[in-house]
Amino acid sequence: MSDLDIQLDREAGRFEAVVEGHSCVLDFTLEGDVVSMNHVGVPKAVGGRGIAGQLTRHALDWADDQNLKVRARCPYVAAWIERHPEYQELLT
């Protein structure tokens, strides 16, 4: 799956995409110039399609555009960054 319509809800601290009626999210908190990526959630009904990876890439690209450092509190985000070393420079 590609070209997800990912929306940023800065007040709620989340990126969200709705896939087949299911809410897929990456939750974060922002403290100064550090964004902590806390949780990625994709319902099983739409799992296995790379949605979590797309949310993660989108959130990391946003952090880079905003000149933010990233704290990968979510194990999925941490593992994704390990597999995509071009994003490791964002880590704090």
Side-chain angles (χ1 to χ4, degrees):
M1 172 165 241
S2 60
D3 299 324
L4 280 182
D5 181 18
I6 300 172
Q7 299 296 316
L8 167 61
D9 184 340
R10 197 173 181 130
E11 278 189 31
R14 68 175 28 189
F15 289 92
E16 181 175 19
V18 177
V19 179
E20 297 173 9
H22 298 278
S23 179
C24 306
V25 300
L26 185 150
D27 292 316
F28 68 89
T29 51
L30 190 57
E31 301 161 24
D33 65 349
V34 177
V35 60
S36 295
M37 297 191 180
N38 302 318
H39 174 75
V40 178
V42 175
K44 287 182 183 180
V46 293
R49 303 182 192 185
I51 295 168
Q54 289 184 63
L55 284 165
T56 300
R57 182 183 302 273
H58 186 87
L60 291 169
D61 287 343
W62 170 80
D64 190 30
D65 289 345
Q66 301 294 312
N67 295 311
L68 299 170
K69 289 306 232 177
V70 173
R71 186 171 293 125
R73 289 195 171 137
C74 171
Y76 179 88
V77 172
W80 193 94
I81 292 171
E82 278 188 30
R83 292 190 312 269
H84 299 86
E86 65 272 24
Y87 288 93
Q88 288 184 2
E89 67 186 25
L90 295 175
L91 293 175
T92 184

